[in-house]
Amino acid sequence: MKLKGIIIALGLLIGLNIQAQQIEPLTKAVLNGYKKILEENPKDYETLYQRATQYYKLSMYDNALVDIMKALDFTPTKEESLRVDEFSMLGDIYIQTKDYEQALQAVNNALALSPSNYALLYKKGNICLYLNNPEEAMTAFSSMQKLKSRSQEAFFGMAKANIMQGNTDVAKELMQEAEKADPSSWLTYSRIGDLYSDMNEDENAAANYLSAFSLADNDASRPLQSLIKLAGKNYPAVETAIQYAISRNANPDALYFLQANIAYNSGCFKEAYKGFSKLLESKEGQIGAVYAKMAMTCLALEKMTEAQTNADMAVLKENSVSTLVTKAKVYNACGKAAVAMMAASKALRINANSTDAQVELALANLQLDDSKAALQSLNEVALSAPDDIYALMIRSYVIFDILNDAKEAIHQYSRISEMQEESFPGIAFKAMAKCFAGKKLDADEIMRNALKDNSDLTKDDYYWAGVYYAQTGNLQEAKKMVEKAIASGYQNLYNLYSNKTANLNISPIRHLLPQR
């Protein structure tokens, strides 16, 4: 397990903005071609199906749904093979929109035409699991196994169904069979880890995720993401697995890097600080990526001088967009806007499309009271990354609180409140935006629903709930949420005591928190 490979995997997964789906010129040409064909013959069911497939690939599910429904209306019953594909596509669309009842109906329609279709049976089994119907899921997975006796997918599916029914011993036997079916694949151990996690056997889950990570040659993002998620729930379990791996590895620097990054990304900054400190003791560990992470760790722990020193070292070792953005973030947080502006500007000279650099440049300009320049940078982000909700919230703040353009700000907040966001920070931002657009009752309902089932809520989720309530005037509820975050192990001292970014902070309740 080499340090470079782990850094690449972390780079793919961590700290990247999700970009909006861009339609390339060739794809636009194809869609225009479909449009012309359908203008001449609106009942061309094959073209409708093909265009639905294209829309689906572009995540344009509403458009895909319209086309596939039309295709099914016009496709002759004798075209059984095509109708199977169309019903299968319809099921996929409903899965993406989380309408699992409709998805099941679509897949059942496809299976009525092709009852021994292995892929459809697998799809049905998984839909039944989503619908909390393990009995019907088991029937589908058992049918798969009859078609392929050593089907790993069937073994995993039946194991999941048994876990849902409380039959953990049977599930573990099926997991062993699944491992035997493909013992050299990273995906095998990643999926076994998921099942152990479902059974709350976190140490076994961590060990299997780590095995998956070590086997993944090119893209280890899935097991890494699983390790980070598990660490947020049970850091000691992940720590135990990594320490065991370290004890059996002659050159553990890569594992130290993994250990520290998992601690960092699960919000365990005290542990991350220890890990990065240890890594920086070795020559191999003294690289830009490590210094950058150490800088952000120090920032979270409010070790501001160390944060600046490490940010400077990160750029010295590696003059890249990521290290320059890290330096800009640290110096912005430390109130040294001129240095932050210089770092962000250098990052943009390397990559003019870096949204992170544009945001840091905007924040630096705001500190320097140049709201016009700040808005210009944020406008660039709105054009290049229209789904970057964090940047859009800052932009709307500038328009409303600094430029005093209430009408435009309300328009922008309204747009944000309708965005498709499933992460908890995104939900909190959407609720804040709805409140700032004048719909506080609706905004409070969004947050109540998000907090209703608190079994999966993390310390970070509670913090962002605190941000929402602090910024919308419910200070006691904000205090309650932040206290829950701290009780759950929230360690970001900078966010708790210093962060003043736009209105994405808890400054209204800081006087209510325990003093350090």
Side-chain angles (χ1 to χ4, degrees):
M1 197 183 299
K2 295 183 178 179
L3 182 58
K4 182 178 179 182
I6 292 180
I7 293 171
I8 291 171
L10 285 161
L12 290 170
L13 179 66
I14 297 163
L16 300 178
N17 286 325
I18 298 173
Q19 301 294 323
Q21 177 70 58
Q22 301 293 320
I23 301 180
E24 297 177 354
L26 181 59
T27 305
K28 284 184 179 180
V30 171
L31 290 174
N32 287 334
Y34 289 146
K35 181 180 179 181
K36 289 179 181 178
I37 293 171
L38 291 168
E39 283 174 351
E40 295 175 4
N41 181 9
K43 296 184 179 181
D44 186 334
Y45 52 86
E46 291 182 339
T47 299
L48 284 165
Y49 169 68
Q50 290 166 359
R51 189 169 71 171
T53 302
Q54 188 69 64
Y55 280 138
Y56 180 85
K57 291 177 181 177
L58 293 168
S59 301
M60 299 170 68
Y61 302 122
D62 290 341
N63 301 68
L65 182 60
V66 170
D67 275 0
I68 205 67
M69 295 296 282
K70 287 181 180 178
L72 281 163
D73 283 342
F74 299 137
T75 303
T77 55
K78 65 180 181 180
E79 297 272 10
E80 284 194 1
S81 178
L82 180 56
R83 288 184 69 81
V84 167
D85 291 341
E86 289 170 347
F87 278 122
S88 180
M89 169 63 68
L90 180 61
D92 289 337
I93 294 168
Y94 282 132
I95 289 170
Q96 292 298 327
T97 58
K98 302 188 184 305
D99 191 345
Y100 298 117
E101 293 283 0
Q102 292 278 21
L104 181 58
Q105 183 178 335
V107 173
N108 279 337
N109 287 336
L111 282 168
L113 298 172
S114 181
S116 297
N117 188 305
Y118 181 87
L120 287 172
L121 287 167
Y122 184 56
K123 193 176 295 183
K124 178 176 179 176
N126 282 297
I127 292 170
C128 290
L129 292 177
Y130 280 121
L131 290 170
N132 197 27
N133 187 346
E135 295 84 2
E136 194 167 351
M138 182 69 77
T139 300
F141 293 130
S142 296
S143 297
M144 288 172 60
Q145 194 181 29
K146 290 176 183 177
L147 295 172
K148 294 183 182 180
S149 62
R150 301 303 299 165
S151 166
Q152 192 185 52
E153 291 83 0
F155 286 134
F156 277 126
M158 289 188 289
K160 178 80 170 179
N162 273 284
I163 290 170
M164 292 176 71
Q165 293 173 301
N167 303 323
T168 55
D169 288 341
V170 176
K172 289 178 181 179
E173 290 175 5
L174 290 163
M175 289 156 63
Q176 289 176 358
E177 293 299 321
E179 183 178 1
K180 291 176 186 176
D182 194 356
S184 61
S185 168
W186 69 266
L187 185 56
T188 296
Y189 297 98
S190 189
R191 296 172 76 179
I192 290 174
D194 290 343
L195 293 172
Y196 273 121
S197 181
D198 289 342
M199 291 186 282
N200 292 316
E201 295 190 16
D202 294 339
E203 289 194 8
N204 283 330
N208 278 280
Y209 289 143
L210 196 57
S211 295
F213 188 88
S214 65
L215 288 171
D217 293 328
N218 298 318
D219 184 6
S221 59
R222 175 170 167 175
L224 176 58
Q225 189 174 34
S226 298
L227 281 166
I228 291 170
K229 182 179 179 181
L230 182 60
K233 169 191 171 189
N234 187 347
Y235 180 79
V238 176
E239 173 72 9
T240 298
I242 295 178
Q243 286 292 353
Y244 178 74
I246 288 172
S247 70
R248 297 171 61 86
N249 198 305
N251 183 17
D253 281 344
L255 286 167
Y256 284 133
F257 186 74
L258 177 63
Q259 178 189 37
N261 269 279
I262 288 175
Y264 173 86
N265 285 282
S266 59
C268 299
F269 298 110
K270 295 174 184 177
E271 292 82 0
Y273 182 81
K274 293 176 185 175
F276 288 126
S277 295
K278 191 164 189 176
L279 192 57
L280 286 170
E281 291 173 2
S282 71
K283 188 173 181 180
E284 188 178 359
Q286 295 170 7
I287 58 176
V290 176
Y291 281 112
K293 285 294 183 184
M294 183 57 147
M296 295 303 295
T297 300
C298 290
L299 174 59
L301 295 174
E302 290 207 308
K303 296 176 181 287
M304 296 309 205
T305 301
E306 280 190 67
Q308 293 170 65
T309 300
N310 280 282
D312 291 340
M313 285 299 298
V315 173
L316 184 64
K317 293 287 185 177
E318 178 190 315
N319 189 50
S320 66
V321 172
S322 61
T323 57
L324 286 163
V325 167
T326 295
K327 181 170 181 174
K329 287 180 179 179
V330 167
Y331 277 91
N332 264 329
C334 293
K336 298 183 178 180
V339 180
M341 179 180 292
M342 187 178 299
S345 298
K346 287 180 179 178
L348 287 167
R349 284 198 288 273
I350 297 172
N351 179 7
N353 296 318
S354 171
T355 57
D356 287 339
Q358 289 283 16
V359 169
E360 293 307 319
L361 183 60
L363 292 174
N365 274 307
L366 287 176
Q367 287 195 59
L368 296 171
D369 295 322
D370 192 342
S371 56
K372 183 177 179 181
L375 186 60
Q376 183 178 345
S377 293
L378 294 167
N379 286 341
E380 289 291 331
V381 177
L383 289 173
S384 62
D387 289 343
D388 190 328
I389 193 169
Y390 175 76
L392 293 177
M393 286 293 289
I394 297 173
R395 178 172 176 262
S396 300
Y397 164 83
V398 172
I399 294 170
F400 189 93
D401 289 64
I402 299 177
L403 300 180
N404 298 314
D405 188 345
K407 183 177 179 180
E408 177 60 21
I410 289 171
H411 173 65
Q412 295 300 328
Y413 279 131
S414 296
R415 288 180 58 191
I416 292 170
S417 71
E418 300 303 321
M419 291 175 66
Q420 297 297 316
E421 278 288 338
E422 296 184 6
S423 68
F424 200 96
I427 292 170
F429 293 166
K430 283 176 58 178
M432 272 191 283
K434 191 170 281 291
C435 182
F436 297 153
K439 297 182 179 179
K440 188 174 188 304
L441 292 177
D442 292 341
D444 284 344
E445 182 66 19
I446 290 173
M447 287 307 297
R448 276 195 295 272
N449 288 334
L451 294 166
K452 189 180 296 181
D453 181 10
N454 61 9
S455 58
D456 293 328
L457 293 177
T458 68
K459 53 185 178 290
D460 294 289
D461 296 339
Y462 285 123
Y463 169 78
W464 286 112
V467 171
Y468 168 79
Y469 286 115
Q471 293 294 334
T472 57
N474 191 340
L475 302 191
Q476 288 305 313
E477 191 65 19
K479 180 174 179 286
K480 177 182 172 183
M481 291 294 113
V482 173
E483 286 174 345
K484 283 188 175 183
I486 294 170
S488 300
Y490 193 78
Q491 296 181 10
N492 194 322
L493 301 180
Y494 171 70
N495 278 347
L496 290 174
Y497 296 105
S498 302
N499 192 347
K500 298 177 182 178
T501 304
N503 45 20
L504 307 179
N505 58 71
I506 60 167
S507 57
I509 64 161
R510 286 203 174 112
H511 65 288
L512 301 176
L513 298 180
Q515 297 301 306
R516 288 171 289 176

